[in-house]
Amino acid sequence: MAFVETVLAKTPQPLRSLLIKHRELLKFAVVGGICWVITMVVWYGLKWTILATKPVTAQVIAVIVATIVSYVLSREWSFRTRGGRDRHHEAALFFIIAGFAVALTVVPTLFSRYVLQLETPYVSMPTQEVADFIFGGILGTIIQTIFRFWAFRKWVFPQEGARARKGNVSALRPEDSPHVRADDEVA
């Protein structure tokens, strides 16, 4: 938490208030960025090697790997004060929702490859790779990210402050931080 507090302490107003107000979304975005990098590295690593003829399968495997990392980071950082469910129930819901998100992620790639036929031999290899990146890496990621943030808050981590009330984690309020004054918070 020291890193976040250090960044907040150096951030000028009114941006600091905005960051504090939307810190859960920002943390979710950081986790998403980390998992996006993991997805891209694993996806391209697989599709340029052992799964060269199965790009959608490579993408699914990459998203599954990133989803496991996402669960740990989401539970322990992004939504660390939220809860309201037993851990096994929470994990099951997380992975069910993530499964739907995997489907949402690959739909644009499937559309690109098999409807628009943006694959070799119909297009050049560079065109195919750019299309895969735009449709799967960007568009698919945007669609699934919006869905996941909404679904995680609604079903997986539904109660704000639930874990803080149980004493597992301290509440993440601006007034609790030595670097962020209570009057900095936007109501």
Side-chain angles (χ1 to χ4, degrees), residues 4-5 23 29 53 63 73 109 118 130 137 157 168:
V4 173
E5 290 175 350
R23 71 180 163 261
T53 61
V63 171
L73 293 177
T109 304
L118 295 174
V130 168
F157 309 107
N168 295 339

Side-chain angles (χ1 to χ4, degrees), residues 93-122:
L93 284 172
F94 185 96
F95 287 105
I96 289 168
I97 289 168
F100 284 111
V102 169
L104 290 173
T105 302
V106 299
V107 165
T109 304
L110 289 167
F111 181 77
S112 167
R113 286 281 183 130
Y114 305 116
V115 174
L116 299 178
Q117 295 185 333
L118 295 174
E119 65 178 344
T120 58
Y122 307 110

Side-chain angles (χ1 to χ4, degrees), residues 15-77:
L15 181 58
R16 181 183 316 146
S17 296
L18 186 64
L19 292 174
I20 291 169
K21 184 177 180 181
H22 299 289
R23 71 180 163 261
E24 192 173 78
L25 178 61
L26 292 171
K27 288 178 179 182
F28 183 79
V30 169
V31 169
I34 291 167
C35 292
W36 183 80
V37 169
I38 291 169
T39 300
M40 294 298 108
V41 168
V42 173
W43 183 25
Y44 280 91
L46 290 173
K47 83 178 212 157
W48 286 347
T49 59
I50 61 174
L51 293 174
T53 61
K54 306 228 182 249
V56 175
T57 303
Q59 186 181 19
V60 169
I61 292 169
V63 171
I64 290 169
V65 170
T67 298
I68 294 167
V69 173
S70 175
Y71 174 68
V72 173
L73 293 177
S74 291
R75 184 176 201 289
E76 300 303 324
W77 192 53

